[in-house]
Amino acid sequence: MSSRGSLVLGIETSCDDTAVALVDRQGGVIASCVASQVELHNAYGGVYPELASRAHIDKILPTVQTVLAQADAGPRDLAAIGVTRGPGLIGSLMVGLNTASGLGHGWGVPVIGVNHLRGHLRSADLEESRVKYPALVLLVSGGHTLLARLENPTDLKLIGSTVDDSVGEAYDKVARMMGLGYPGGPIIDRLAKGGTPCVQFPRPMYGRGFGLDFSFSGLKTSVLRYLEDHPEAKQEDVAAAFVDAVLQVLIYKCRAALQEYPATSLVVVGGVAASPQLRAGAAALCDDLGVQLCLPPLRWSTDNGAMIGLATWDYLAAGVSSTLDAVPGLGMESF
Ligand code: KG4
Ligand code: ZN
């Protein structure tokens, strides 16, 4: 049992995981539960939006109950409920928003709509305060690939983004082409570790003249062409060549961004930040540049309710009262 109003209930349903957590003001995670839909979507090689919303409807209240029971907590312990309002799938977002607003109304607790991307940003401070400002953030998820400069937890400037596919999307599409499961990231990473790059795939938008933006759609197509032309190629080797190309681009852009916008720490967040190869590459870069690397613990890299909970504390501190409208295309700079 916690003291009155000392916790935030974070609810995340923007995509394919029903995730809920209780978080204190310092980012301590008091309880957390994620109802994964991986099995449900595996057969489709990606997220099937209508099935995702239906599964959220089934799972959301039991997941809230599980989390409250884990912490022996109730409505009186809550300072607020924070719920993802975008970006994400409209149906999935609406399940979270409607549920949160019903609970808030019934319990007499304020409800705050939270930007999912701001949740990822704050994931690196869960359980322990790690980020030193000014910071440079690389956010690599299934839906986004962004570089931003952070002056403090909420004051951010977007300095680069993808012009087409995100990194996570490229991983997922390459996994689908190779007949592997969903999500593709962990499967491709695992395969890549046992392979040798068989080819030098293109490094899209790599080099001076391209600024800090990214492009991954052409890389994905090159992998497809290679697989068509080399049906005998070992999957491990193709995966290794793909991961090599992705990593080289990501690390190059981080180096260029740190040179242009000197920072005390580099923060790498989002589902792809679970990649051991990316974690190692970012660590080597930070060693080289004398910058502190801040990574969320693995379980807080992919979507979770705790990051939404911690971001909610920022909204409370800043007095930001966002709306509870679902905004599928919400940008990183919005609250
Ligand atoms: O942040 P996230 O859980 O959801 C979105 O906000 O999109 O990111 C999901 C993405 C998927 O594309 C998945 O393939 C990727 O993160 N991912 C990984 C790894 N684990 C998840 N990518 C590379 N390596 C991993 N170990
Ligand atoms: Zn996410």
PDB file of all heavy atoms in Angstrom, residues 165-202:
ATOM      1  N   ASP A 165      10.217   4.242 -44.380  1.00  0.00           N
ATOM      2  CA  ASP A 165      10.006   3.226 -43.337  1.00  0.00           C
ATOM      3  C   ASP A 165      10.816   3.547 -42.082  1.00  0.00           C
ATOM      4  O   ASP A 165      11.869   4.179 -42.156  1.00  0.00           O
ATOM      5  CB  ASP A 165      10.470   1.848 -43.833  1.00  0.00           C
ATOM      6  CG  ASP A 165       9.562   1.292 -44.921  1.00  0.00           C
ATOM      7  OD1 ASP A 165       8.554   1.948 -45.255  1.00  0.00           O
ATOM      8  OD2 ASP A 165       9.875   0.204 -45.438  1.00  0.00           O
ATOM      9  N   SER A 166      10.331   3.055 -40.952  1.00  0.00           N
ATOM     10  CA  SER A 166      11.127   3.134 -39.716  1.00  0.00           C
ATOM     11  C   SER A 166      12.069   1.931 -39.687  1.00  0.00           C
ATOM     12  O   SER A 166      11.909   0.983 -40.465  1.00  0.00           O
ATOM     13  CB  SER A 166      10.210   3.091 -38.501  1.00  0.00           C
ATOM     14  OG  SER A 166       9.678   1.792 -38.370  1.00  0.00           O
ATOM     15  N   VAL A 167      13.030   1.962 -38.769  1.00  0.00           N
ATOM     16  CA  VAL A 167      13.952   0.821 -38.653  1.00  0.00           C
ATOM     17  C   VAL A 167      13.200  -0.450 -38.267  1.00  0.00           C
ATOM     18  O   VAL A 167      13.406  -1.513 -38.853  1.00  0.00           O
ATOM     19  CB  VAL A 167      15.014   1.064 -37.554  1.00  0.00           C
ATOM     20  CG1 VAL A 167      16.028  -0.064 -37.551  1.00  0.00           C
ATOM     21  CG2 VAL A 167      15.713   2.366 -37.750  1.00  0.00           C
ATOM     22  N   GLY A 168      12.312  -0.329 -37.261  1.00  0.00           N
ATOM     23  CA  GLY A 168      11.580  -1.511 -36.794  1.00  0.00           C
ATOM     24  C   GLY A 168      10.748  -2.109 -37.918  1.00  0.00           C
ATOM     25  O   GLY A 168      10.655  -3.339 -38.070  1.00  0.00           O
ATOM     26  N   GLU A 169      10.158  -1.234 -38.719  1.00  0.00           N
ATOM     27  CA  GLU A 169       9.340  -1.678 -39.849  1.00  0.00           C
ATOM     28  C   GLU A 169      10.216  -2.451 -40.846  1.00  0.00           C
ATOM     29  O   GLU A 169       9.796  -3.478 -41.385  1.00  0.00           O
ATOM     30  CB  GLU A 169       8.791  -0.407 -40.502  1.00  0.00           C
ATOM     31  CG  GLU A 169       7.587  -0.552 -41.351  1.00  0.00           C
ATOM     32  CD  GLU A 169       7.105   0.860 -41.781  1.00  0.00           C
ATOM     33  OE1 GLU A 169       7.591   1.889 -41.247  1.00  0.00           O
ATOM     34  OE2 GLU A 169       6.253   0.905 -42.676  1.00  0.00           O
ATOM     35  N   ALA A 170      11.419  -1.944 -41.088  1.00  0.00           N
ATOM     36  CA  ALA A 170      12.335  -2.627 -42.016  1.00  0.00           C
ATOM     37  C   ALA A 170      12.680  -4.013 -41.462  1.00  0.00           C
ATOM     38  O   ALA A 170      12.649  -5.012 -42.194  1.00  0.00           O
ATOM     39  CB  ALA A 170      13.606  -1.796 -42.219  1.00  0.00           C
ATOM     40  N   TYR A 171      12.977  -4.094 -40.168  1.00  0.00           N
ATOM     41  CA  TYR A 171      13.249  -5.400 -39.543  1.00  0.00           C
ATOM     42  C   TYR A 171      12.046  -6.333 -39.744  1.00  0.00           C
ATOM     43  O   TYR A 171      12.197  -7.494 -40.122  1.00  0.00           O
ATOM     44  CB  TYR A 171      13.458  -5.225 -38.036  1.00  0.00           C
ATOM     45  CG  TYR A 171      14.885  -5.103 -37.561  1.00  0.00           C
ATOM     46  CD1 TYR A 171      15.460  -3.862 -37.320  1.00  0.00           C
ATOM     47  CD2 TYR A 171      15.652  -6.235 -37.299  1.00  0.00           C
ATOM     48  CE1 TYR A 171      16.751  -3.744 -36.833  1.00  0.00           C
ATOM     49  CE2 TYR A 171      16.949  -6.126 -36.820  1.00  0.00           C
ATOM     50  CZ  TYR A 171      17.497  -4.886 -36.592  1.00  0.00           C
ATOM     51  OH  TYR A 171      18.781  -4.790 -36.114  1.00  0.00           O
ATOM     52  N   ASP A 172      10.849  -5.813 -39.464  1.00  0.00           N
ATOM     53  CA  ASP A 172       9.653  -6.661 -39.531  1.00  0.00           C
ATOM     54  C   ASP A 172       9.379  -7.110 -40.960  1.00  0.00           C
ATOM     55  O   ASP A 172       9.002  -8.257 -41.206  1.00  0.00           O
ATOM     56  CB  ASP A 172       8.437  -5.913 -38.953  1.00  0.00           C
ATOM     57  CG  ASP A 172       8.578  -5.653 -37.455  1.00  0.00           C
ATOM     58  OD1 ASP A 172       9.361  -6.376 -36.800  1.00  0.00           O
ATOM     59  OD2 ASP A 172       7.921  -4.722 -36.946  1.00  0.00           O
ATOM     60  N   LYS A 173       9.602  -6.202 -41.936  1.00  0.00           N
ATOM     61  CA  LYS A 173       9.319  -6.562 -43.329  1.00  0.00           C
ATOM     62  C   LYS A 173      10.352  -7.566 -43.855  1.00  0.00           C
ATOM     63  O   LYS A 173      10.013  -8.483 -44.580  1.00  0.00           O
ATOM     64  CB  LYS A 173       9.284  -5.307 -44.197  1.00  0.00           C
ATOM     65  CG  LYS A 173       8.011  -4.490 -43.962  1.00  0.00           C
ATOM     66  CD  LYS A 173       7.982  -3.221 -44.785  1.00  0.00           C
ATOM     67  CE  LYS A 173       6.661  -2.475 -44.596  1.00  0.00           C
ATOM     68  NZ  LYS A 173       6.704  -1.105 -45.154  1.00  0.00           N
ATOM     69  N   VAL A 174      11.616  -7.383 -43.465  1.00  0.00           N
ATOM     70  CA  VAL A 174      12.650  -8.324 -43.897  1.00  0.00           C
ATOM     71  C   VAL A 174      12.360  -9.706 -43.294  1.00  0.00           C
ATOM     72  O   VAL A 174      12.456 -10.732 -43.971  1.00  0.00           O
ATOM     73  CB  VAL A 174      14.064  -7.813 -43.523  1.00  0.00           C
ATOM     74  CG1 VAL A 174      15.107  -8.908 -43.624  1.00  0.00           C
ATOM     75  CG2 VAL A 174      14.437  -6.633 -44.424  1.00  0.00           C
ATOM     76  N   ALA A 175      11.938  -9.728 -42.030  1.00  0.00           N
ATOM     77  CA  ALA A 175      11.609 -11.017 -41.398  1.00  0.00           C
ATOM     78  C   ALA A 175      10.454 -11.685 -42.136  1.00  0.00           C
ATOM     79  O   ALA A 175      10.460 -12.896 -42.370  1.00  0.00           O
ATOM     80  CB  ALA A 175      11.251 -10.802 -39.928  1.00  0.00           C
ATOM     81  N   ARG A 176       9.473 -10.877 -42.547  1.00  0.00           N
ATOM     82  CA  ARG A 176       8.326 -11.437 -43.252  1.00  0.00           C
ATOM     83  C   ARG A 176       8.759 -12.017 -44.602  1.00  0.00           C
ATOM     84  O   ARG A 176       8.339 -13.105 -44.996  1.00  0.00           O
ATOM     85  CB  ARG A 176       7.256 -10.356 -43.444  1.00  0.00           C
ATOM     86  CG  ARG A 176       5.911 -10.944 -43.814  1.00  0.00           C
ATOM     87  CD  ARG A 176       4.844  -9.904 -44.081  1.00  0.00           C
ATOM     88  NE  ARG A 176       4.916  -8.749 -43.195  1.00  0.00           N
ATOM     89  CZ  ARG A 176       4.245  -7.613 -43.393  1.00  0.00           C
ATOM     90  NH1 ARG A 176       3.461  -7.475 -44.442  1.00  0.00           N
ATOM     91  NH2 ARG A 176       4.346  -6.617 -42.564  1.00  0.00           N
ATOM     92  N   MET A 177       9.636 -11.275 -45.332  1.00  0.00           N
ATOM     93  CA  MET A 177      10.131 -11.766 -46.638  1.00  0.00           C
ATOM     94  C   MET A 177      10.857 -13.094 -46.488  1.00  0.00           C
ATOM     95  O   MET A 177      10.854 -13.922 -47.384  1.00  0.00           O
ATOM     96  CB  MET A 177      11.198 -10.804 -47.181  1.00  0.00           C
ATOM     97  CG  MET A 177      10.723  -9.512 -47.699  1.00  0.00           C
ATOM     98  SD  MET A 177      12.280  -8.577 -47.966  1.00  0.00           S
ATOM     99  CE  MET A 177      11.654  -6.944 -47.916  1.00  0.00           C
ATOM    100  N   MET A 178      11.529 -13.257 -45.339  1.00  0.00           N
ATOM    101  CA  MET A 178      12.319 -14.469 -45.145  1.00  0.00           C
ATOM    102  C   MET A 178      11.487 -15.585 -44.512  1.00  0.00           C
ATOM    103  O   MET A 178      12.011 -16.645 -44.172  1.00  0.00           O
ATOM    104  CB  MET A 178      13.547 -14.142 -44.264  1.00  0.00           C
ATOM    105  CG  MET A 178      14.522 -13.238 -44.998  1.00  0.00           C
ATOM    106  SD  MET A 178      15.816 -12.528 -43.933  1.00  0.00           S
ATOM    107  CE  MET A 178      16.840 -13.931 -43.633  1.00  0.00           C
ATOM    108  N   GLY A 179      10.182 -15.311 -44.347  1.00  0.00           N
ATOM    109  CA  GLY A 179       9.291 -16.331 -43.802  1.00  0.00           C
ATOM    110  C   GLY A 179       9.519 -16.580 -42.324  1.00  0.00           C
ATOM    111  O   GLY A 179       9.221 -17.660 -41.803  1.00  0.00           O
ATOM    112  N   LEU A 180      10.060 -15.570 -41.614  1.00  0.00           N
ATOM    113  CA  LEU A 180      10.285 -15.712 -40.173  1.00  0.00           C
ATOM    114  C   LEU A 180       9.079 -15.107 -39.462  1.00  0.00           C
ATOM    115  O   LEU A 180       8.199 -14.536 -40.098  1.00  0.00           O
ATOM    116  CB  LEU A 180      11.575 -14.992 -39.784  1.00  0.00           C
ATOM    117  CG  LEU A 180      12.802 -15.402 -40.621  1.00  0.00           C
ATOM    118  CD1 LEU A 180      13.938 -14.425 -40.448  1.00  0.00           C
ATOM    119  CD2 LEU A 180      13.241 -16.806 -40.264  1.00  0.00           C
ATOM    120  N   GLY A 181       9.010 -15.175 -38.170  1.00  0.00           N
ATOM    121  CA  GLY A 181       7.812 -14.692 -37.456  1.00  0.00           C
ATOM    122  C   GLY A 181       7.776 -13.197 -37.230  1.00  0.00           C
ATOM    123  O   GLY A 181       8.572 -12.442 -37.790  1.00  0.00           O
ATOM    124  N   TYR A 182       6.843 -12.779 -36.412  1.00  0.00           N
ATOM    125  CA  TYR A 182       6.653 -11.381 -36.027  1.00  0.00           C
ATOM    126  C   TYR A 182       6.744 -11.293 -34.507  1.00  0.00           C
ATOM    127  O   TYR A 182       6.238 -12.198 -33.840  1.00  0.00           O
ATOM    128  CB  TYR A 182       5.285 -10.887 -36.506  1.00  0.00           C
ATOM    129  CG  TYR A 182       4.931  -9.546 -35.934  1.00  0.00           C
ATOM    130  CD1 TYR A 182       5.370  -8.390 -36.548  1.00  0.00           C
ATOM    131  CD2 TYR A 182       4.196  -9.456 -34.750  1.00  0.00           C
ATOM    132  CE1 TYR A 182       5.088  -7.154 -35.991  1.00  0.00           C
ATOM    133  CE2 TYR A 182       3.915  -8.218 -34.199  1.00  0.00           C
ATOM    134  CZ  TYR A 182       4.359  -7.078 -34.824  1.00  0.00           C
ATOM    135  OH  TYR A 182       4.086  -5.860 -34.269  1.00  0.00           O
ATOM    136  N   PRO A 183       7.315 -10.274 -33.894  1.00  0.00           N
ATOM    137  CA  PRO A 183       8.045  -9.174 -34.535  1.00  0.00           C
ATOM    138  C   PRO A 183       9.424  -9.621 -35.023  1.00  0.00           C
ATOM    139  O   PRO A 183      10.061 -10.489 -34.427  1.00  0.00           O
ATOM    140  CB  PRO A 183       8.174  -8.150 -33.411  1.00  0.00           C
ATOM    141  CG  PRO A 183       8.103  -8.942 -32.150  1.00  0.00           C
ATOM    142  CD  PRO A 183       7.239 -10.140 -32.432  1.00  0.00           C
ATOM    143  N   GLY A 184       9.853  -8.984 -36.111  1.00  0.00           N
ATOM    144  CA  GLY A 184      11.068  -9.432 -36.789  1.00  0.00           C
ATOM    145  C   GLY A 184      12.363  -9.074 -36.077  1.00  0.00           C
ATOM    146  O   GLY A 184      13.363  -9.779 -36.242  1.00  0.00           O
ATOM    147  N   GLY A 185      12.354  -7.997 -35.295  1.00  0.00           N
ATOM    148  CA  GLY A 185      13.603  -7.502 -34.700  1.00  0.00           C
ATOM    149  C   GLY A 185      14.415  -8.559 -33.971  1.00  0.00           C
ATOM    150  O   GLY A 185      15.552  -8.854 -34.349  1.00  0.00           O
ATOM    151  N   PRO A 186      13.832  -9.167 -32.925  1.00  0.00           N
ATOM    152  CA  PRO A 186      14.628 -10.131 -32.155  1.00  0.00           C
ATOM    153  C   PRO A 186      15.051 -11.338 -32.993  1.00  0.00           C
ATOM    154  O   PRO A 186      16.148 -11.868 -32.807  1.00  0.00           O
ATOM    155  CB  PRO A 186      13.685 -10.570 -31.028  1.00  0.00           C
ATOM    156  CG  PRO A 186      12.468  -9.722 -31.119  1.00  0.00           C
ATOM    157  CD  PRO A 186      12.521  -8.891 -32.342  1.00  0.00           C
ATOM    158  N   ILE A 187      14.196 -11.765 -33.938  1.00  0.00           N
ATOM    159  CA  ILE A 187      14.517 -12.962 -34.750  1.00  0.00           C
ATOM    160  C   ILE A 187      15.692 -12.658 -35.672  1.00  0.00           C
ATOM    161  O   ILE A 187      16.642 -13.439 -35.788  1.00  0.00           O
ATOM    162  CB  ILE A 187      13.285 -13.380 -35.603  1.00  0.00           C
ATOM    163  CG1 ILE A 187      12.067 -13.563 -34.713  1.00  0.00           C
ATOM    164  CG2 ILE A 187      13.588 -14.650 -36.382  1.00  0.00           C
ATOM    165  CD1 ILE A 187      10.765 -13.764 -35.460  1.00  0.00           C
ATOM    166  N   ILE A 188      15.631 -11.492 -36.332  1.00  0.00           N
ATOM    167  CA  ILE A 188      16.707 -11.118 -37.265  1.00  0.00           C
ATOM    168  C   ILE A 188      18.027 -10.932 -36.507  1.00  0.00           C
ATOM    169  O   ILE A 188      19.083 -11.394 -36.948  1.00  0.00           O
ATOM    170  CB  ILE A 188      16.339  -9.811 -38.013  1.00  0.00           C
ATOM    171  CG1 ILE A 188      15.107 -10.020 -38.876  1.00  0.00           C
ATOM    172  CG2 ILE A 188      17.518  -9.263 -38.803  1.00  0.00           C
ATOM    173  CD1 ILE A 188      15.357 -10.606 -40.234  1.00  0.00           C
ATOM    174  N   ASP A 189      17.953 -10.289 -35.355  1.00  0.00           N
ATOM    175  CA  ASP A 189      19.175 -10.076 -34.560  1.00  0.00           C
ATOM    176  C   ASP A 189      19.823 -11.405 -34.184  1.00  0.00           C
ATOM    177  O   ASP A 189      21.036 -11.569 -34.253  1.00  0.00           O
ATOM    178  CB  ASP A 189      18.842  -9.331 -33.259  1.00  0.00           C
ATOM    179  CG  ASP A 189      18.757  -7.834 -33.473  1.00  0.00           C
ATOM    180  OD1 ASP A 189      19.235  -7.350 -34.509  1.00  0.00           O
ATOM    181  OD2 ASP A 189      18.217  -7.152 -32.585  1.00  0.00           O
ATOM    182  N   ARG A 190      18.985 -12.332 -33.758  1.00  0.00           N
ATOM    183  CA  ARG A 190      19.497 -13.646 -33.328  1.00  0.00           C
ATOM    184  C   ARG A 190      20.159 -14.357 -34.508  1.00  0.00           C
ATOM    185  O   ARG A 190      21.266 -14.883 -34.406  1.00  0.00           O
ATOM    186  CB  ARG A 190      18.348 -14.489 -32.772  1.00  0.00           C
ATOM    187  CG  ARG A 190      18.753 -15.340 -31.584  1.00  0.00           C
ATOM    188  CD  ARG A 190      17.559 -16.055 -30.942  1.00  0.00           C
ATOM    189  NE  ARG A 190      16.474 -15.172 -30.566  1.00  0.00           N
ATOM    190  CZ  ARG A 190      15.211 -15.287 -31.006  1.00  0.00           C
ATOM    191  NH1 ARG A 190      14.871 -16.245 -31.851  1.00  0.00           N
ATOM    192  NH2 ARG A 190      14.283 -14.443 -30.609  1.00  0.00           N
ATOM    193  N   LEU A 191      19.466 -14.361 -35.664  1.00  0.00           N
ATOM    194  CA  LEU A 191      20.024 -15.008 -36.870  1.00  0.00           C
ATOM    195  C   LEU A 191      21.343 -14.342 -37.255  1.00  0.00           C
ATOM    196  O   LEU A 191      22.321 -15.022 -37.582  1.00  0.00           O
ATOM    197  CB  LEU A 191      19.062 -14.828 -38.047  1.00  0.00           C
ATOM    198  CG  LEU A 191      17.995 -15.869 -38.311  1.00  0.00           C
ATOM    199  CD1 LEU A 191      17.210 -15.465 -39.546  1.00  0.00           C
ATOM    200  CD2 LEU A 191      18.630 -17.249 -38.514  1.00  0.00           C
ATOM    201  N   ALA A 192      21.340 -12.999 -37.227  1.00  0.00           N
ATOM    202  CA  ALA A 192      22.509 -12.237 -37.694  1.00  0.00           C
ATOM    203  C   ALA A 192      23.763 -12.600 -36.905  1.00  0.00           C
ATOM    204  O   ALA A 192      24.868 -12.629 -37.447  1.00  0.00           O
ATOM    205  CB  ALA A 192      22.231 -10.734 -37.576  1.00  0.00           C
ATOM    206  N   LYS A 193      23.573 -12.918 -35.624  1.00  0.00           N
ATOM    207  CA  LYS A 193      24.733 -13.246 -34.782  1.00  0.00           C
ATOM    208  C   LYS A 193      25.449 -14.495 -35.281  1.00  0.00           C
ATOM    209  O   LYS A 193      26.657 -14.640 -35.095  1.00  0.00           O
ATOM    210  CB  LYS A 193      24.280 -13.486 -33.343  1.00  0.00           C
ATOM    211  CG  LYS A 193      24.087 -12.210 -32.589  1.00  0.00           C
ATOM    212  CD  LYS A 193      23.891 -12.502 -31.117  1.00  0.00           C
ATOM    213  CE  LYS A 193      23.484 -11.252 -30.398  1.00  0.00           C
ATOM    214  NZ  LYS A 193      22.846 -11.510 -29.132  1.00  0.00           N
ATOM    215  N   GLY A 194      24.695 -15.399 -35.938  1.00  0.00           N
ATOM    216  CA  GLY A 194      25.305 -16.653 -36.418  1.00  0.00           C
ATOM    217  C   GLY A 194      25.729 -16.571 -37.874  1.00  0.00           C
ATOM    218  O   GLY A 194      26.066 -17.585 -38.481  1.00  0.00           O
ATOM    219  N   GLY A 195      25.685 -15.367 -38.477  1.00  0.00           N
ATOM    220  CA  GLY A 195      26.008 -15.268 -39.904  1.00  0.00           C
ATOM    221  C   GLY A 195      27.171 -14.342 -40.194  1.00  0.00           C
ATOM    222  O   GLY A 195      27.694 -13.672 -39.308  1.00  0.00           O
ATOM    223  N   THR A 196      27.579 -14.352 -41.484  1.00  0.00           N
ATOM    224  CA  THR A 196      28.621 -13.442 -41.956  1.00  0.00           C
ATOM    225  C   THR A 196      27.983 -12.630 -43.074  1.00  0.00           C
ATOM    226  O   THR A 196      27.345 -13.228 -43.952  1.00  0.00           O
ATOM    227  CB  THR A 196      29.792 -14.244 -42.569  1.00  0.00           C
ATOM    228  OG1 THR A 196      30.077 -15.340 -41.702  1.00  0.00           O
ATOM    229  CG2 THR A 196      31.011 -13.399 -42.796  1.00  0.00           C
ATOM    230  N   PRO A 197      28.143 -11.311 -43.057  1.00  0.00           N
ATOM    231  CA  PRO A 197      27.497 -10.519 -44.116  1.00  0.00           C
ATOM    232  C   PRO A 197      27.899 -11.043 -45.499  1.00  0.00           C
ATOM    233  O   PRO A 197      29.081 -11.155 -45.799  1.00  0.00           O
ATOM    234  CB  PRO A 197      28.026  -9.107 -43.870  1.00  0.00           C
ATOM    235  CG  PRO A 197      28.434  -9.091 -42.437  1.00  0.00           C
ATOM    236  CD  PRO A 197      28.877 -10.483 -42.098  1.00  0.00           C
ATOM    237  N   CYS A 198      26.892 -11.408 -46.338  1.00  0.00           N
ATOM    238  CA  CYS A 198      27.197 -12.030 -47.625  1.00  0.00           C
ATOM    239  C   CYS A 198      27.274 -10.969 -48.719  1.00  0.00           C
ATOM    240  O   CYS A 198      27.669 -11.250 -49.837  1.00  0.00           O
ATOM    241  CB  CYS A 198      26.110 -13.040 -47.965  1.00  0.00           C
ATOM    242  SG  CYS A 198      24.455 -12.378 -47.788  1.00  0.00           S
ATOM    243  N   VAL A 199      26.841  -9.759 -48.391  1.00  0.00           N
ATOM    244  CA  VAL A 199      26.763  -8.721 -49.421  1.00  0.00           C
ATOM    245  C   VAL A 199      26.758  -7.373 -48.719  1.00  0.00           C
ATOM    246  O   VAL A 199      26.373  -7.280 -47.549  1.00  0.00           O
ATOM    247  CB  VAL A 199      25.476  -8.924 -50.263  1.00  0.00           C
ATOM    248  CG1 VAL A 199      24.237  -8.885 -49.398  1.00  0.00           C
ATOM    249  CG2 VAL A 199      25.347  -7.897 -51.377  1.00  0.00           C
ATOM    250  N   GLN A 200      27.196  -6.349 -49.458  1.00  0.00           N
ATOM    251  CA  GLN A 200      27.161  -4.989 -48.908  1.00  0.00           C
ATOM    252  C   GLN A 200      25.857  -4.353 -49.396  1.00  0.00           C
ATOM    253  O   GLN A 200      25.785  -3.887 -50.530  1.00  0.00           O
ATOM    254  CB  GLN A 200      28.396  -4.231 -49.422  1.00  0.00           C
ATOM    255  CG  GLN A 200      28.435  -2.764 -49.135  1.00  0.00           C
ATOM    256  CD  GLN A 200      29.179  -2.426 -47.837  1.00  0.00           C
ATOM    257  OE1 GLN A 200      29.591  -3.317 -47.098  1.00  0.00           O
ATOM    258  NE2 GLN A 200      29.307  -1.151 -47.558  1.00  0.00           N
ATOM    259  N   PHE A 201      24.807  -4.392 -48.583  1.00  0.00           N
ATOM    260  CA  PHE A 201      23.555  -3.735 -48.979  1.00  0.00           C
ATOM    261  C   PHE A 201      23.766  -2.223 -48.952  1.00  0.00           C
ATOM    262  O   PHE A 201      24.641  -1.727 -48.235  1.00  0.00           O
ATOM    263  CB  PHE A 201      22.420  -4.124 -48.019  1.00  0.00           C
ATOM    264  CG  PHE A 201      21.917  -5.522 -48.203  1.00  0.00           C
ATOM    265  CD1 PHE A 201      21.827  -6.398 -47.129  1.00  0.00           C
ATOM    266  CD2 PHE A 201      21.520  -5.973 -49.457  1.00  0.00           C
ATOM    267  CE1 PHE A 201      21.358  -7.693 -47.295  1.00  0.00           C
ATOM    268  CE2 PHE A 201      21.049  -7.265 -49.633  1.00  0.00           C
ATOM    269  CZ  PHE A 201      20.973  -8.124 -48.550  1.00  0.00           C
ATOM    270  N   PRO A 202      22.935  -1.467 -49.712  1.00  0.00           N
ATOM    271  CA  PRO A 202      23.099  -0.011 -49.707  1.00  0.00           C
ATOM    272  C   PRO A 202      22.881   0.584 -48.317  1.00  0.00           C
ATOM    273  O   PRO A 202      22.110   0.042 -47.526  1.00  0.00           O
ATOM    274  CB  PRO A 202      22.009   0.477 -50.670  1.00  0.00           C
ATOM    275  CG  PRO A 202      21.142  -0.668 -50.954  1.00  0.00           C
ATOM    276  CD  PRO A 202      21.856  -1.926 -50.581  1.00  0.00           C
TER     277      PRO A 202
END
